[in-house]
Structure formats: structure tokens, C-alpha cells
Amino acid sequence: AQTVTQSQPEMSVQEAETVTLSCTYDTSESNYYLFWYKQPPSRQMILVIRQEAYKQQNATENRFSVNFQKAAKSFSLKISDSQLGDTAMYFCAFMTVNRDDKIIFGKGTRLHILP
Amino acid sequence: DGGITQSPKYLFRKEGQNVTLSCEQNLNHDAMYWYRQDPGQGLRLIYYSQIVNDFQKGDIAEGYSVSREKKESFPLTVTSAQKNPTAFYLCASSSSSLQGEVYEQYFGPGTRLTVT
């Protein structure tokens, strides 16, 4: 079975600091995609970043970047220069390219950015 | 503006009543999904549909039903058979991976259902 594990239920950091959220996954597939979604207090789910497993280069989106370690099945999210608006639940998610369109989500990490 | 709408934002029902949650998208997406979110549980897939007039059960389909008569709409009915229906329900859509590509899912704002 494919699983996604987020080992940090909750984290707090000071504004402007850098924070890393951990995610590991388990799969026997070789072709898949990984995502980080953000859910702020409004509860609107927003895609933060995506990574194709066949790409060795780590994806980046402004202050957000990932550390993708395929052999270790690890997909951590780094938020640089954190801002108060980054306060949210963050979900790591996994999807295989097998035509069933299903995404598997981790249980989330609640991140608090402190002023 | 393109997007996904879910209505209403808050819904209250008495135990034993069926209730239908609305989900509409104008993104021209083929695939649509329903998730349930409970505290500490992440998102759990209820039903999904890759094409009109077809849908599949997700991980927690018992007590729920769906229809997909139009590409834009994917309503979810929470039946009286659902043992613990109080939860936050999220609808999502994406382009279908039937063509071999993978597309991220876009989410609606959610509906908070409370059954008493």
C-alpha cells in the first residue's frame, strides 16, 4: 500500500526564520508526482509546489523549495524568510501515474509563524 | 473567474436525514473528487469521477452516494447510513490523467456539515 507520513504534527517558528517540514512516502512505483498543499485558517486548500519523480532538480517556488531524495523516499518542504501568512496546515501528497487520478495525502503538519 | 464552488459553507441537519452537498466547477476539468477532513486525519477520499456518468468509490464511500450527470457538477449525498457524518467536506477537480499526464487538484472552499 502507498502511504505518506508527516512526522511533525505541529511546529512553531519565529517570523523571518527558515523552517523545514518533513515528509516520507512509501511506494513501489517509479513514476509518480509529489505535492505540498497549504490549508490556511480559511480552510481553502492551495497548491504550494509539485515535484515530478523523474526530475532530479528540486522544485522551487519563490520562498518555497523542496528537498527530494528519491532513494530515501523523502520530500521535505523548506520555507525561507517565513511570514505570518504562512501560518497554515501543510499537507504532503503523492500521486502515481497510473490513470486512477487518486492523490494520497499525509495527515498534515500545523505550522505557526510567530510574530 | 474560473474555480470551484461549494454551497453552502455551513450546513446543519438532524440525524436520520439525507443531505446533498453541492460542488460546481467551471475549469473544464474532467475529474472531480470528494474528500472528508476530520481533525488529525488529513484528507480521506470518499468518491471520485474521471468522466461524466462514471465514478468510483474511494477509501470511505460507505454511507455516501454521488452522481456525475454533467461535467461541471458532482453532488455528494450524505445518507442516514453514514454513522458519523459531522465533518468538513472538500470537493476538488483536475484534468484527467487518462491521457498520461498528471495534474494537480484544485479545491473548493469546503462545506462544514453538522448533524445533531
Side-chain angles (χ1 to χ4, degrees), chain A residues 42-95:
Chain A
S42 67
R43 305 199 79 171
Q44 175 71 57
M45 291 281 284
I46 303 163
L47 177 69
V48 175
I49 201 165
R50 62 178 271 168
Q51 173 81 43
E52 291 86 346
Y54 64 85
K55 289 186 178 179
Q56 292 187 343
Q57 187 173 5
N58 289 325
T60 62
E61 286 289 342
N62 301 313
R63 297 182 295 107
F64 298 86
S65 62
V66 298
N67 183 5
F68 174 47
Q69 301 289 330
K70 190 172 184 179
K73 296 180 181 175
S74 171
F75 183 60
S76 61
L77 174 70
K78 185 173 82 171
I79 306 174
S80 303
D81 186 25
S82 58
Q83 300 173 359
L84 296 178
D86 295 333
T87 292
M89 280 287 285
Y90 286 82
F91 293 96
C92 180
F94 167 95
M95 182 177 189

Side-chain angles (χ1 to χ4, degrees), chain B residues 56-107:
Chain B
Q56 288 78 39
K57 292 182 179 180
D59 301 317
I60 55 165
E62 185 176 350
Y64 299 97
S65 65
V66 294
S67 62
R68 186 83 189 278
E69 297 176 1
K70 297 187 299 182
K71 187 176 185 177
E72 301 79 17
S73 179
F74 191 41
L76 173 74
T77 297
V78 184
T79 75
S80 57
Q82 167 53 231
K83 299 286 186 245
N84 185 18
T86 293
F88 186 66
Y89 291 87
L90 282 162
C91 179
S93 71
S94 73
S95 295
S96 174
S97 69
L98 290 174
Q99 286 74 38
E101 289 290 325
V102 167
Y103 301 94
E104 56 265 30
Q105 294 183 6
Y106 294 84
F107 287 81

Side-chain angles (χ1 to χ4, degrees), chain B:
Chain B
D1 273 19
I4 302 173
T5 57
Q6 291 185 245
S7 60
K9 190 172 179 67
Y10 299 96
L11 191 54
F12 298 88
R13 279 294 183 270
K14 294 289 188 184
E15 193 173 330
Q17 293 179 337
N18 291 354
V19 59
T20 297
L21 281 60
S22 166
C23 178
E24 304 278 332
Q25 55 97 2
N26 60 5
L27 299 168
N28 200 33
H29 285 164
D30 289 307
M32 297 186 74
Y33 313 79
W34 274 105
Y35 294 93
R36 171 179 171 139
Q37 187 177 21
D38 296 284
Q41 293 281 351
L43 276 69
R44 292 185 290 170
L45 183 64
I46 304 173
Y47 268 98
Y48 66 106
S49 168
Q50 292 178 284
I51 199 167
V52 174
N53 293 323
D54 189 40
F55 48 83
Q56 288 78 39
K57 292 182 179 180
D59 301 317
I60 55 165
E62 185 176 350
Y64 299 97
S65 65
V66 294
S67 62
R68 186 83 189 278
E69 297 176 1
K70 297 187 299 182
K71 187 176 185 177
E72 301 79 17
S73 179
F74 191 41
L76 173 74
T77 297
V78 184
T79 75
S80 57
Q82 167 53 231
K83 299 286 186 245
N84 185 18
T86 293
F88 186 66
Y89 291 87
L90 282 162
C91 179
S93 71
S94 73
S95 295
S96 174
S97 69
L98 290 174
Q99 286 74 38
E101 289 290 325
V102 167
Y103 301 94
E104 56 265 30
Q105 294 183 6
Y106 294 84
F107 287 81
T111 293
R112 172 69 184 179
L113 173 65
T114 302
V115 177
T116 57

